[in-house]
């Protein structure tokens, strides 16, 4: 159901549950509800009849009744899928079944858990979810997570996944059967936390952690199962528009967090809550609200509203009950002189803390606090990670203070005494001889220390987030395949935490600086065009602007502070680059100029500083990009040459500095490309060849440096493009292919990197355009279609990214030429009309986007060409008329751009050609 409907549905549901079943329909009729809300209420009421014991089932078992039709997959037994022959069924649900299977190819013996999608569920949407699960599992290589071994499809295209088959007991049963003491249980539980934390660092949230999903093998190794499944199922359920399906089947309420039951967004702290329930059960032998699990309304209310009892209190309660029931049942059995097949005492004994070798005194204190911190209702008040939970347990086992308990003087002292009894008692004898003056001094010191610790805690909160969560974690996840949704979740969680901290940090300068740096790092992950990113340009701008307010305020208060100047200059630079990459050159120019002004000021204060000169050259290079994109190539070359001179001097001072060499070569690439667009192809070739020779050597020396490899790919692209324009198409194709090879390696190494995807699509499109020049039209069209799919995916992934809109339109424009060569004029007209609409959309966002305006004009001219060719083949006058109209429209746009000095010399010859074609069409029409 939709989140906004839940409050209405839950209110009506609670009222209905208080009414006799026979009177409920009459009550609902009187409310005049919408059909959707009534169906939702009725579907939830239907659970009441069969609710008894439903919580004992797994998520998959519970979900199997949510779909119409009989499940009869037993026919799979004995069949072979890939190299696996099915032996028996392990379980089944709404989406499919899991079988025990073994290899049948004879290479080696291996048993697997084979997950097979149901035939009727074999839709494109669910296949995508199945593929997503496969990608999630493939990324989780950890000794305590059941591994993905193989995947494939059956003969009739039904996907399957082969998982590691784990023979073991659920973690609670294993602990109970082997009578593990508290320390042994805690050490086993910490291994589970390590596996969950590994999954979180790989951006996967389990969402359904419970003992039945944690099996422990005979040698005591825990294995986590069903990663990604509840997430996949819940996604599907969100898409199914039927009142007969609820989200009940994708989680177990006893282990679900309050936010899950309220259909709010989940984060890594959701899994921390479930781990807290599991730890509660391992320590006390019981779940906190298990006495309410027979009533769906009561368990929901308890999880969302009630505070759980202390685990030690729960252990005490059942110890007393065990003693009482034992005495009572023993007396009864003695009186009857017979054995009872199943008495209450045996039931209680199954989970009694006494039988489980548990002691409430050992739980009381630290362990109570650790569990309750993990179970806090507010996600932000729990442990921020499974690792933090595990570390607190480790500190408890070592006798150190834990973060779950207030770090008071008496608490820390008590911990110290327990660890150092002999030394402490000796010290007490000495301390007794010291006068009362020291007591007063210590008291005052304690007050000062408390204030200092409070400030340090706030500072360390954001430092921990910025340095660990963003600066350490974010670079690692940039390379993870299939991590885009999780990256977005990471960013949302980081922003929520940062926004809360910013409200407390107004008077803390250092904390404000840390916040600004963290916002900028979030912005980099969201949409910095020169970093691996998730393609959220709008979000990146918002994050950088939050940091900007902090940076500007700091510099306003201390205008001569060199550190503040450097930080603000970098912020201005990235904001400018994001804007001009989105084709908003005016905003881009404002921020780049501000950055340039600051960099020049910094250098005046430190004229010989190597880093200051390097950063100045970098911003000058960026400043040259703006006139280049506006077709003012001579101004762009002037900026590029100025940057090149600085880098040339820096390279002489540090000849082995790889980043300076890369930047130095980049200026030659920019200069060469600008000369090419200014129709000086020879100068373009000289500069581009120089850049390529530097970068090829640098790339060989640093094969794993992504920045260097990307610069090499760009050099191949620009050099090849210049060769193609210089009537050296064969040489251009050879260089394009080398560049594509580099781009493919970068993209394959990080499939979710938007920048790498766009680079691969861009250079492949350029190759496709050049293939036309040597007559390889069909090959060109094949590559164009591949490129078009990539660009459309990027556009759909971020509708706010205007550059992606332009890329789609520009590729469609290029494909129009391929259709013309293939004489498919109808197909060409269709794709060029789509390109025209795309350029118009781009220009509505930014009317000053010169390249889009220029290409829109040529799109109209090319549409005219296709109509003229159709007129020749079909001898239809109306096609000639449309050819005339479109050619004229395109020329008028070009004339306007020429008058505004927004065309290069390179374009003038095309105007002359179009004028000649227009004249010929007029002759044919008799005009």
């Amino acid at each position: 159901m939709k989140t906004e409907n839940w409050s209405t549905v839950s209110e009506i549901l609670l009222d209905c549950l208080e009414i006799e079943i026979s009177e409920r329909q009459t009550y609902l009729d009187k409310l005049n509800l919408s059909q959707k809300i009534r169906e939702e209420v009725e579907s939830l009421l239907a659970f009441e009849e069969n609710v008894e014991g439903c919580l004992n089932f797994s998520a998959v078992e519970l979900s199997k009744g949510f779909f119409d039709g009989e499940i009869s997959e037993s026919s799979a037994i004995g069949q072979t899928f890939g190299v696996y022959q099915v032996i028996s069924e392990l379980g089944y649900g709404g989406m499919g079944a899991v079988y025990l299977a073994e290899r049948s190819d004879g290479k080696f013996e291996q048993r697997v858990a084979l997950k097979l999608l149901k035939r009727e569920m074999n839709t494109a949407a669910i296949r995508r979810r199945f593929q997503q699960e496969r990608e999630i599992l493939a990324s989780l290589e950890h000794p305590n997570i059941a591994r993905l071994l193989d995947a494939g499809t059956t003969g009739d295209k039904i996907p399957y996944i082969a998982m590691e088959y784990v023979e073991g007991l659920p973690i609670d049963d294993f602990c109970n059967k082997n009578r593990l003491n508290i320390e042994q249980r805690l050490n086993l539980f910490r291994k589970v936390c390590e596996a969950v934390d590994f999954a979180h660092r790989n951006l996967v949230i389990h969402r359904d952690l419970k003992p039945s999903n944690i099996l422990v093998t005979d040698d005591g190794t825990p294995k986590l199962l069903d990663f990604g499944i509840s997430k996949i199922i819940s996604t599907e359920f969100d898409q199914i528009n039927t009142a007969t399906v609820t989200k009940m089947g994708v989680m177990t309420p006893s282990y679900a967090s309050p936010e899950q039951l309220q259909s709010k967004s989940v984060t890594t702290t959701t899994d921390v809550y479930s781990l807290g329930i599991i730890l509660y059960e391992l320590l006390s032998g019981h779940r906190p609200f298990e006495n309410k699990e027979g009533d769906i309304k009561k368990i929901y209310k308890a999880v969302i509203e009630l505070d759980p009892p202390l685990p030690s209190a729960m252990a005490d309660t059942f110890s007393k009950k065990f003693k009482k029931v034992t005495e009572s049942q023993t007396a009864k059995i003695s009186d009857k002189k017979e054995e009872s097949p199943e008495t209450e005492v045996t039931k209680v004994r199954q989970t009694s803390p006494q039988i489980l070798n548990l002691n409430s005194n050992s739980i009381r204190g630290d362990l109570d606090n650790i569990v309750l911190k993990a179970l806090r209702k507010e996600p932000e008040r729990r442990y921020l990670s499974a690792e933090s939970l595990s570390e607190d347990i480790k500190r408890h086992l070592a006798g150190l203070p834990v973060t779950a308990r207030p770090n008071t003087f008496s608490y820390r002292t008590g911990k110290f005494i327990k660890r150092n009894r002999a030394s402490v008692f000796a010290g007490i004898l000495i301390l007794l001889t010291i006068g009362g003056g020291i007591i007063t001094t210590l008291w005052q010191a304690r007050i000062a220390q408390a204030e200092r610790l409070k400030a340090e805690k706030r500072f360390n909160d954001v430092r921990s987030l910025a340095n660990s969560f963003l600066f350490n974690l974010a670079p690692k996840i940039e390379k993870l395949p299939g991590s885009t949704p999780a990256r977005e979740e990471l960013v949302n969680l980081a922003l929520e935490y940062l926004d809360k901290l910013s409200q407390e940090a107004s008077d803390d300068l250092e904390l404000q600086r840390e916040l600004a740096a963290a916002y900028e790092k979030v912005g980099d992950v969201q949409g910095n065009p020169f970093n691996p990113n998730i393609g959220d340009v709008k979000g990146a701008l918002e994050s950088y602007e939050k940091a900007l307010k902090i940076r500007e305020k700091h510099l306003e208060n201390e205008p001569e502070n060199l550190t503040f100047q450097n930080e603000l200059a970098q912020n201005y630079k990235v904001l400018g680059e994001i804007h001009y990459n989105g084709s908003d050159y005016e905003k881009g120019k404002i921020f780049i100029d501000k950055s340039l002004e600051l960099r020049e000021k910094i250098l005046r204060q430190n004229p010989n500083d190597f880093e200051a000169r390097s950063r100045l050259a970098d911003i000058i290079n960026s400043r040259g990009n703006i006139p280049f994109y506006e077709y003012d190539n001579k101004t762009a070359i002037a900026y590029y040459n100025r940057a090149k001179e600085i880098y040339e001097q820096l390279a002489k001072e540090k000849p082995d500095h790889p980043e300076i060499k890369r930047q130095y070569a980049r200026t030659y690439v920019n200069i060469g490309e600008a000369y090419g667009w200014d129709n000086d192809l020879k100068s373009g070739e000289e500069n581009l060849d120089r850049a390529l020779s530097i970068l090829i050597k640098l790339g060989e020396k640093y094969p794993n440096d992504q920045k260097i490899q990307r610069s090499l790919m760009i050099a191949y692209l620009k050099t090849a493009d210049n060769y193609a324009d210089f009537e050296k198409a064969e040489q251009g194709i050879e260089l394009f292919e080398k560049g594509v090879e580099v781009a493919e390696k970068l993209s394959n190494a990080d499939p979710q990197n938007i920048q790498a995807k766009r680079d691969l699509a861009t250079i492949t499109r350029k190759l496709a355009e050049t293939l036309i020049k040597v007559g390889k039209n069909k090959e060109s069209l094949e590559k164009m279609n591949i490129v078009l799919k990539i660009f459309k995916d990027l556009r759909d992934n971020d509708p706010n990214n205007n550059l992606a809109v332009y890329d789609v339109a520009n590729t469609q424009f290029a494909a129009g030429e391929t259709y013309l060569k293939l004489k498919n004029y109808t197909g060409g007209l269709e794709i060029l009309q789509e390109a025209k609409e795309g350029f118009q959309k781009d220009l509505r966002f930014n009317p000053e986007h010169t390249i889009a305006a220029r290409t829109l004009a040529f799109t109209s001219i090319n549409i005219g060409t296709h109509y003229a060719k159709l007129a020749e083949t079909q001898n239809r006058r109306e096609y000639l008329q449309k050819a005339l109209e479109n050619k004229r429209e395109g020329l008028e746009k070009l004339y306007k751009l020429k008058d505004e000095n927004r065309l290069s010399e390179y374009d003038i010859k095309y105007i002359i050609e179009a004028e000649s074609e227009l004249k010929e069409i007029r002759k044919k029409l008799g005009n």
Side-chain angles (χ1 to χ4, degrees):
M1 92 181 60
K2 294 183 178 178
T3 305
E4 57 265 30
N5 291 339
W6 171 243
S7 60
T8 303
V9 171
S10 62
E11 183 176 346
I12 297 169
L13 180 64
L14 291 176
D15 290 340
C16 285
L17 290 171
E18 299 295 330
I19 300 171
E20 290 295 326
I21 294 175
S22 60
E23 298 175 5
R24 289 175 183 174
Q25 291 301 321
T26 305
Y27 173 76
L28 292 174
D29 290 339
K30 291 178 181 179
L31 295 179
N32 293 321
L33 302 173
S34 69
Q35 183 180 353
K36 285 186 178 179
I37 290 180
R38 175 147 184 175
E39 287 176 347
E40 196 64 45
V41 172
E42 289 177 340
S43 71
L44 291 172
L45 287 171
F47 270 101
E48 189 182 19
E49 295 177 11
N50 298 313
V51 75
E52 184 67 28
C54 73
L55 301 181
N56 297 325
F57 292 97
S58 68
V60 172
E61 289 171 324
L62 194 57
S63 66
K64 68 186 179 185
F66 290 179
F67 296 86
D68 296 332
E70 298 267 337
I71 298 176
S72 57
E73 299 293 338
S74 59
S75 58
I77 296 172
Q79 291 190 37
T80 300
F81 302 106
V83 296
Y84 303 103
Q85 185 175 30
V86 173
I87 300 172
S88 62
E89 185 181 87
L90 296 175
Y92 59 86
M95 288 180 64
V98 183
Y99 300 98
L100 175 62
E102 60 184 6
R103 291 188 71 99
S104 59
D105 58 1
K107 291 185 177 180
F108 53 88
E109 291 184 3
Q110 182 184 45
R111 286 195 164 192
V112 301
L114 192 74
K115 181 177 294 185
L116 185 66
L117 193 65
K118 282 177 63 176
R119 296 178 190 278
E120 59 268 32
M121 300 298 289
N122 190 20
T123 65
I126 293 181
R127 280 198 303 273
R128 284 195 297 273
R129 297 275 71 85
F130 213 69
Q131 173 65 20
Q132 181 183 349
E133 178 185 354
R134 185 169 132 188
E135 291 174 358
I136 288 170
L137 293 170
S139 70
L140 298 180
E141 278 288 336
H142 190 277
N144 299 117
I145 296 176
R147 291 177 299 119
L148 173 70
L149 300 175
D150 200 355
T153 55
T154 65
D156 46 357
K157 307 299 183 184
I158 296 175
Y160 66 81
I161 294 174
M163 297 285 301
E164 176 186 1
Y165 175 57
V166 180
E167 289 189 81
L169 292 173
I171 187 168
D172 55 341
D173 291 344
F174 178 87
C175 291
N176 299 344
K177 179 182 176 182
N178 293 280
R179 303 290 177 85
L180 300 190
N181 60 32
I182 287 180
E183 183 177 350
Q184 291 169 326
R185 288 166 187 253
L186 291 175
N187 284 321
L188 180 62
F189 181 76
R190 288 193 67 227
K191 292 181 182 179
V192 176
C193 289
E194 288 174 15
V196 174
D197 184 64
F198 173 81
H200 290 174
R201 284 186 283 109
N202 282 269
L203 282 298
V204 177
I205 301 173
H206 194 292
R207 303 187 184 207
D208 194 24
L209 287 170
K210 55 188 176 183
S212 61
N213 279 338
I214 306 168
L215 299 185
V216 185
T217 61
D218 289 341
D219 64 358
T221 302
K223 290 277 188 178
L224 273 64
L225 312 178
D226 282 356
F227 261 98
I229 294 177
S230 62
K231 182 175 183 180
I232 292 167
I233 295 175
S234 65
T235 303
E236 290 305 320
F237 279 13
D238 286 341
Q239 297 171 356
I240 298 172
N241 185 18
T242 170
T244 63
V245 177
T246 77
K247 294 181 182 177
M248 180 71 169
V250 300
M251 61 185 171
T252 308
S254 298
Y255 298 92
S257 65
E259 62 267 25
Q260 282 179 288
L261 298 186
Q262 293 172 298
S263 297
K264 294 180 179 179
S265 61
V266 298
T267 66
T268 53
T269 57
T270 300
D271 280 352
V272 170
Y273 183 93
S274 300
L275 286 170
I277 296 289
I278 295 168
L279 180 58
Y280 192 114
E281 192 169 3
L282 294 180
L283 294 175
S284 71
H286 298 271
R287 294 179 293 280
F289 305 118
E290 66 180 29
N291 61 329
K292 296 177 173 58
E293 290 175 359
D295 187 315
I296 194 73
K297 182 173 66 172
K298 287 182 180 179
I299 185 65
Y300 266 58
K301 181 179 176 65
V303 172
I304 295 170
E305 299 178 10
L306 302 182
D307 290 328
L310 293 172
S312 58
M314 180 71 80
D316 277 340
T317 299
F318 276 87
S319 292
K320 292 172 184 175
K321 183 177 181 182
F322 170 74
K323 183 178 180 181
K324 182 178 179 181
V325 172
T326 300
E327 293 172 353
S328 172
Q329 291 293 335
T330 302
K332 290 180 182 179
I333 294 171
S334 177
D335 289 342
K336 292 181 181 180
K337 306 295 183 184
E338 61 182 20
E339 290 293 331
S340 174
E342 183 180 9
T343 65
E344 188 177 354
V345 68
T346 59
K347 295 177 184 177
V348 176
R349 277 175 175 165
Q350 291 170 6
T351 53
S352 167
Q354 292 180 0
I355 294 299
L356 301 185
N357 204 16
L358 305 178
N359 187 328
S360 61
N361 291 328
S362 301
I363 302 170
R364 190 171 292 112
D366 281 353
L367 290 178
D368 276 341
N369 283 293
I370 288 171
V371 172
L372 293 186
K373 181 174 180 177
L375 296 183
R376 283 174 180 165
K377 305 298 183 189
E378 308 86 353
E380 66 274 9
R381 295 187 62 215
R382 298 174 201 147
Y383 290 100
L384 291 180
S385 66
E387 181 184 26
S388 301
L389 170 58
S390 177
E391 281 301 306
D392 234 9
I393 294 171
K394 180 181 179 182
R395 293 178 67 81
H396 165 75
L397 290 170
L400 297 170
V402 300
T403 63
R405 187 166 179 172
N407 192 20
T408 62
F409 179 78
S410 60
Y411 172 62
R412 285 183 285 108
T413 302
K415 283 289 181 181
F416 180 80
I417 290 172
K418 285 182 180 179
R419 295 196 309 273
N420 305 277
R421 291 180 185 275
S423 300
V424 168
F425 285 123
I428 288 173
L429 295 175
I430 298 172
L431 286 173
L432 289 174
T433 65
I434 299 175
I438 292 181
I439 297 174
T440 304
T441 304
L442 287 174
W443 176 254
Q444 292 172 342
R446 183 186 170 197
I447 294 173
Q449 183 190 37
E451 291 300 316
R452 184 169 63 255
L453 288 174
K454 181 180 177 183
E456 287 176 357
K457 183 180 183 301
R458 287 172 55 228
F459 179 78
N460 289 333
D461 280 343
V462 72
R463 172 162 286 175
S464 175
L465 173 72
N467 294 338
S468 299
F469 194 45
L470 294 173
F471 295 102
N472 296 336
L473 179 59
K476 293 177 183 177
I477 69 171
E478 288 170 358
K479 297 181 179 181
L480 292 176
S483 64
T484 298
R487 287 189 201 176
E488 292 171 341
E489 197 157 343
L490 179 149
V491 166
N492 290 335
L493 180 62
L495 285 174
E496 181 182 349
Y497 190 39
L498 288 172
D499 289 340
K500 286 180 181 177
L501 283 173
S502 67
Q503 296 170 8
E504 303 176 10
S506 57
D507 299 326
D508 190 329
L509 179 63
E510 284 303 309
L511 187 53
Q512 284 282 341
R513 285 188 63 216
E514 294 283 352
L515 277 169
Y519 277 126
E520 287 164 348
K521 188 60 185 177
V522 168
D524 287 342
V525 175
Q526 288 172 309
N528 184 334
F530 297 105
N531 279 66
N533 62 78
I534 62 174
D536 181 8
V537 175
K538 184 180 178 183
L541 286 171
E542 290 173 355
S543 295
Y544 258 91
E545 284 164 1
K546 286 177 182 177
L548 177 65
K549 290 179 182 177
I550 299 173
R551 301 286 192 208
E552 287 183 330
K553 184 179 178 182
H554 287 172
L555 191 60
E556 183 182 343
N557 293 335
E558 298 183 44
E560 300 306 316
N561 187 308
L562 196 61
T563 299
F564 292 167
Q565 291 174 8
N566 268 303
E567 290 170 346
L568 182 57
Q570 182 63 19
N571 185 289
Y572 281 145
K573 175 180 180 288
V574 177
L575 270 171
E577 290 173 339
I578 294 173
H579 278 298
Y580 76 61
N581 265 271
S583 308
D584 194 341
Y585 301 128
E586 281 307 309
K587 280 188 179 178
K589 188 186 298 182
I590 290 169
F591 284 112
I592 294 293
D593 283 343
K594 284 183 177 181
S595 180
L596 180 56
E597 183 182 349
L598 272 175
R599 288 292 174 207
E600 288 173 333
K601 180 180 179 180
I602 292 167
L603 189 62
R604 284 195 295 272
Q605 298 172 68
N606 303 273
N608 296 317
D609 185 88
F610 188 91
E611 188 67 23
R613 285 181 289 158
S614 172
R615 291 187 174 186
L616 176 63
D618 187 33
I619 192 63
I620 291 170
N621 229 338
S622 293
R623 182 61 181 86
N625 289 338
I626 295 174
F628 172 76
Y629 288 137
E630 294 181 316
Y631 279 82
D632 184 359
N633 297 302
K634 289 181 172 57
T635 301
I637 290 169
Y639 278 111
Y640 295 149
N641 274 321
R642 184 182 165 197
K644 185 190 77 172
E645 289 169 6
I646 298 173
Y647 280 127
E648 194 167 30
Q649 181 58 39
L650 294 174
K652 288 178 182 177
E653 294 174 21
K654 294 188 178 181
D656 295 326
H657 196 300
E659 178 60 15
I660 294 299
K661 273 191 174 181
R662 183 186 76 83
Q663 295 279 24
Y664 181 39
R666 189 167 72 102
T667 60
Y668 277 109
V669 172
N670 291 344
I671 292 167
E673 185 180 23
Y675 271 125
W677 278 101
D678 211 39
N679 212 27
D680 186 351
L681 299 177
K682 190 172 186 306
S683 296
E685 182 179 359
E686 291 171 357
N687 282 278
L688 287 164
D689 283 347
R690 176 73 184 276
L692 195 56
S693 65
I694 295 172
L695 287 167
I696 287 174
K697 292 178 183 176
L698 203 58
E700 290 172 351
K701 190 173 182 180
Y702 301 97
N704 298 319
D705 188 312
Q706 290 195 46
K707 282 189 174 181
I708 290 174
Q709 293 300 318
R710 182 173 187 264
S711 293
L712 174 60
M713 181 274 299
I714 291 172
Y716 275 128
L717 186 157
K718 305 299 184 184
T719 308
D721 205 19
N722 193 75
Y723 274 128
D725 290 335
F726 212 11
E727 305 303 325
K728 297 179 180 179
E730 293 291 352
Q731 287 175 266
I733 289 172
E734 184 179 343
L735 291 177
F736 273 130
E737 288 173 343
K738 290 181 179 180
V740 167
E741 185 179 345
V742 177
E744 283 177 339
K745 286 180 181 177
L746 290 172
S747 184
N748 291 339
D750 190 359
Q752 297 303 316
N753 181 353
I754 301 300
Q755 177 198 66
K757 277 188 176 181
R758 183 175 184 271
D759 287 344
L760 176 58
T762 299
I763 193 169
T764 306
R765 177 173 59 78
K766 286 287 188 181
L767 171 60
E769 291 174 9
T770 309
L771 287 169
I772 300 172
K773 296 184 178 184
V774 297
K776 296 182 178 180
N777 301 319
K778 288 185 179 179
E779 187 179 344
S780 170
L781 188 59
E782 288 172 3
K783 292 188 181 298
M784 284 290 185
N785 287 331
I786 293 170
V787 170
L788 197 55
K789 184 182 184 307
I790 296 174
F791 278 139
K792 283 183 176 179
D793 286 345
L794 294 179
R795 179 195 63 189
D796 297 341
N797 183 58
D798 182 10
N800 298 309
N801 188 347
N802 204 57
L803 180 61
V805 174
Y806 169 80
D807 283 335
V808 171
N810 198 34
T811 305
Q812 290 167 330
F813 168 77
E817 180 68 18
T818 308
Y819 278 108
L820 185 67
K821 294 291 186 182
L822 290 169
K823 298 182 180 181
N824 184 351
Y825 307 125
T826 304
L829 282 171
E830 184 179 341
I831 202 163
L832 286 172
Q833 288 291 356
E834 290 180 17
K836 187 174 181 179
E837 291 170 8
F839 287 128
Q840 288 169 340
K841 181 179 179 181
D842 178 89
L843 289 165
R844 281 195 296 272
F845 174 80
N846 180 20
E848 302 304 314
H849 188 181
T850 300
I851 296 178
R854 165 194 177 272
T855 318
L856 174 61
F858 283 116
T859 301
S860 295
I861 290 171
N862 288 1
I863 289 172
T865 301
H866 279 74
Y867 273 123
K869 293 294 184 181
L870 270 178
E872 288 178 13
T873 58
Q874 298 185 20
N875 194 25
R876 291 175 62 175
R877 184 179 177 82
E878 65 266 29
Y879 285 154
L880 270 180
Q881 187 62 42
K882 287 184 177 181
L884 179 70
E885 291 168 2
N886 281 279
K887 292 275 186 185
R888 185 188 293 142
E889 179 186 337
L891 276 168
E892 287 172 357
K893 285 183 170 64
L894 289 176
Y895 293 147
K896 186 174 184 294
L897 290 170
K898 185 181 178 184
D899 292 342
E900 294 170 354
N901 199 29
R902 293 168 66 191
L903 284 186
S904 68
E905 293 297 321
Y906 184 81
D907 294 320
I908 302 303
K909 66 177 183 178
Y910 292 112
I911 295 178
I912 296 170
E913 287 179 11
E915 287 173 337
S916 175
E917 291 165 357
L918 184 64
K919 187 177 179 180
E920 187 66 28
I921 292 170
R922 280 175 174 161
K923 278 184 183 180
K924 291 179 180 178
L925 286 169
N927 293 345

